[in-house]
Amino acid sequence: MDLLFALALSFGFLLFSAVKGYFVAYPLLSSLAIFTLALLRRGFTFDTLLKMGFAGSKKSFSVISILLLIGAVTAVWMAAGTVPAIVYYGIQLISPQYFILASFILSSIVSLLLGTSFGTVSTIGIALMIMANSSGVDPHMIAGSIIAGAYFGDRCSPMSSSANLVAAITKTRLYTNIQNMWKTAMLPLVISVGLYGVLSLFNPVQLADQTFTAEISRLFNVDLITLLPAAVILIFSILQIEVRLSMLMSILVAIALSCFWQHYSFLQILKFTVLGFHLTEDTPLDSILLGGGVISMVKVSIVVIISTAFVGIFAGTRTLDTIQVFLERFKSRSNCFLSTLLVGVGSAAFGCTQTIAILLTQELVEQKYKETTKGNYKLALDLENTVVVISPLIPWNIAGLVPATILMTDLGFIPYAFYLYLIPLLNLIQIRLSQPPKLKLCN
């Protein structure tokens, strides 16, 4: 009963934090303290729990450096004009007749380049929503297409923090995971494009604000050369060069462009890299073209460290054994995927963040996947096809709550985020159809 009470209280703290927009590390630390007290009452020593927490946190150390690099990349891409150029050229391609479809495609491309759903929503997403602000079209449709596209890259970009986290905790190669993700994404992607195309035809958008491109060209030297840092990431990804080296090379190219093309001083660029980019003059875009920086990823890193400590204590104290014993009954490939999907939904609902949901789900289902030679790669793929895309569909999970808030909408976007629920649904159907009835292994 004490652990159930601690679980309920922790969920309450996390839910309250997500709804109110408080930094999630605070309720996480409170929950950690509550569970520590409950486990001390059960006979565990503080030193033992501390060692378990540290052992869990060690899983996150390999991904922390990537998170910090992502923050630096985002900032210098802003200063180099890379992100403004993506928005500039993207908006010029939009047809009012296919606005909703274009919103999904543009958000997908930007998120694939940036690797962050929040960064995508905060740049191209805001621009798209403002442009369609007075069109009379249901804003939930547009928000749904933007958020679905934002998580396209959040799922399978080499710069995605969630993709790197999944690779780290499952001990798999990032680029092998990305190849597997692309294979399982094609059908959901094609169907999503078709659905957004139909929505667009029946809901043409009259564009209300055309000032973005003019303002971007005034503030930045926008040319194809500013896309070079993004091209470095794409080329290095195709060559499967280690992601840290890819990002470092992209940062160097972006710094050169920031200095010699956008005429920022080296001191300004250094400040942007650490603290985040911001425009130095008053403009309507100063609330859109900003962010990134190493400091912005410190908070994310803290959440990852605390979350992995939490999971380490859960694993060491065998707190979740009851759930794992129940999951052992699901042996077939399709049932493995289904159980991962159900656990992912529960973890996303309880954890209120994508990171906690990934870590909890991995901890609970990992044992089943160890039964086969390629269990780790199947586990990584199933995590990407379930909990990663399910988290934004939980109304109080910050994976969906924050983008919805940024886009000035609410949970009404969920029915229109087609891609997010087509991924798990179609993969489950495909696995069931291809699975021999009597096959017992998760392979």
Side-chain angles (χ1 to χ4, degrees):
M1 289 300 294
D2 54 347
L3 288 179
L4 286 176
F5 175 75
L7 191 67
L9 195 58
S10 298
F11 175 72
F13 283 156
L14 288 165
L15 180 58
F16 180 77
S17 171
V19 172
K20 291 293 185 178
Y22 297 144
F23 181 32
V24 73
Y26 299 139
L28 273 177
L29 286 171
S30 301
S31 301
L32 194 59
I34 292 168
F35 271 97
T36 298
L37 291 174
L39 291 167
L40 288 173
R41 290 184 70 250
R42 291 200 166 197
F44 291 96
T45 66
F46 183 78
D47 286 346
T48 300
L49 294 176
L50 191 63
K51 289 177 181 178
M52 291 176 183
F54 181 74
S57 292
K58 283 171 63 178
K59 290 184 178 182
S60 70
F61 293 168
S62 61
V63 81
I64 296 300
S65 60
I66 295 175
L67 290 174
L68 299 178
L69 281 172
I70 289 171
V73 166
T74 305
V76 294
W77 276 24
M78 291 276 193
T82 304
V83 172
I86 292 170
V87 175
Y88 177 85
Y89 289 116
I91 289 175
Q92 302 226 27
L93 296 174
I94 293 178
S95 166
Q97 185 65 54
Y98 296 99
F99 188 88
I100 298 175
L101 173 59
S103 296
F104 173 68
I105 293 174
L106 283 175
S107 298
S108 298
I109 293 171
V110 172
S111 67
L112 189 64
L113 293 172
L114 298 182
T116 164
S117 55
F118 290 2
T120 300
V121 169
S122 300
T123 52
I124 192 74
I126 289 179
L128 291 167
M129 288 296 288
I130 293 176
M131 289 174 64
N133 192 33
S134 60
S135 66
V137 174
D138 185 352
H140 294 132
M141 293 184 184
I142 300 168
S145 66
I146 293 169
I147 293 173
Y151 277 95
F152 175 83
D154 188 271
R155 173 180 174 270
C156 62
S157 168
M159 287 175 57
S160 165
S161 57
S162 63
N164 280 282
L165 178 61
V166 168
I169 63 177
T170 57
K171 298 179 176 65
T172 51
R173 289 187 70 250
L174 173 65
Y175 288 114
T176 301
N177 291 340
I178 289 174
Q179 289 174 357
N180 292 334
M181 282 187 270
W182 272 100
K183 291 175 185 177
T184 56
M186 293 314 298
L187 182 59
L189 181 62
V190 170
I191 294 176
S192 296
V193 167
L195 291 172
Y196 288 124
V198 172
L199 272 184
S200 297
L201 288 173
F202 286 97
N203 299 276
V205 173
Q206 298 300 318
L207 302 183
D209 195 325
Q210 304 276 2
T211 63
F212 283 99
T213 54
E215 191 68 7
I216 289 173
S217 62
R218 184 182 74 84
L219 294 167
F220 296 90
N221 292 320
V222 179
D223 208 337
L224 289 177
I225 193 174
T226 59
L227 297 176
L228 194 56
V232 169
I233 291 291
L234 287 178
I235 293 170
F236 277 41
S237 298
I238 293 170
L239 297 175
Q240 297 193 12
I241 295 173
E242 209 275 328
V243 68
R244 291 179 184 83
L245 180 58
S246 301
M247 286 191 279
L248 283 172
M249 288 301 298
S250 181
I251 288 171
L252 292 175
V253 172
I255 288 174
L257 287 172
S258 302
C259 285
F260 302 112
W261 202 254
Q262 306 300 345
H263 307 299
Y264 286 110
S265 69
F266 183 77
L267 186 61
Q268 282 180 304
I269 297 167
L270 183 61
K271 186 177 178 181
F272 292 153
T273 304
V274 177
L275 301 178
F277 178 80
H278 63 88
L279 291 167
T280 55
E281 61 178 281
D282 290 333
T283 167
L285 300 183
D286 59 7
S287 62
I288 297 175
L289 296 177
L290 80 169
V294 171
I295 295 297
S296 71
M297 282 297 173
V298 170
K299 284 188 173 182
V300 179
S301 300
I302 291 171
V303 171
V304 172
I305 291 170
I306 299 173
S307 301
T308 47
F310 224 132
V311 174
I313 291 173
F314 277 165
T317 57
R318 307 180 71 85
T319 303
L320 304 175
D321 272 10
T322 302
I323 299 176
Q324 288 176 320
V325 169
F326 175 75
L327 292 175
E328 283 299 314
R329 302 176 185 178
F330 299 99
K331 297 294 184 181
S332 70
R333 175 74 184 102
S334 59
N335 283 337
C336 277
F337 184 88
L338 180 60
S339 62
T340 303
L341 175 60
L342 295 175
V343 171
V345 171
S347 298
F350 166 75
C352 299
T353 71
Q354 189 189 63
T355 299
I356 299 174
I358 291 170
L359 293 168
L360 277 178
T361 305
Q362 183 265 343
E363 181 64 34
L364 285 167
V365 304
E366 182 182 30
Q367 190 58 43
K368 297 199 288 56
Y369 287 81
K370 286 183 176 178
E371 297 176 7
T372 62
T373 305
K374 297 182 180 179
N376 281 359
Y377 281 98
K378 291 295 183 184
L379 172 58
L381 180 61
D382 286 358
L383 289 173
E384 294 286 359
N385 288 341
T386 57
V387 64
V388 170
V389 291
I390 287 295
S391 294
L393 300 177
I394 305 297
W396 55 84
N397 192 298
I398 65 172
L401 182 65
V402 170
T405 302
I406 292 172
L407 296 177
M408 297 165 286
T409 185
D410 53 34
L411 58 85
F413 81 86
I414 292 175
Y416 301 103
F418 302 133
Y419 179 75
L420 297 183
Y421 48 83
L422 283 175
I423 284 279
L425 178 61
L426 293 180
N427 276 281
L428 176 60
I429 293 172
Q430 186 176 6
I431 290 170
R432 283 195 177 277
L433 290 176
S434 62
Q435 184 77 28
K438 295 185 178 181
L439 191 60
K440 297 294 183 181
L441 297 177
C442 303
N443 53 25

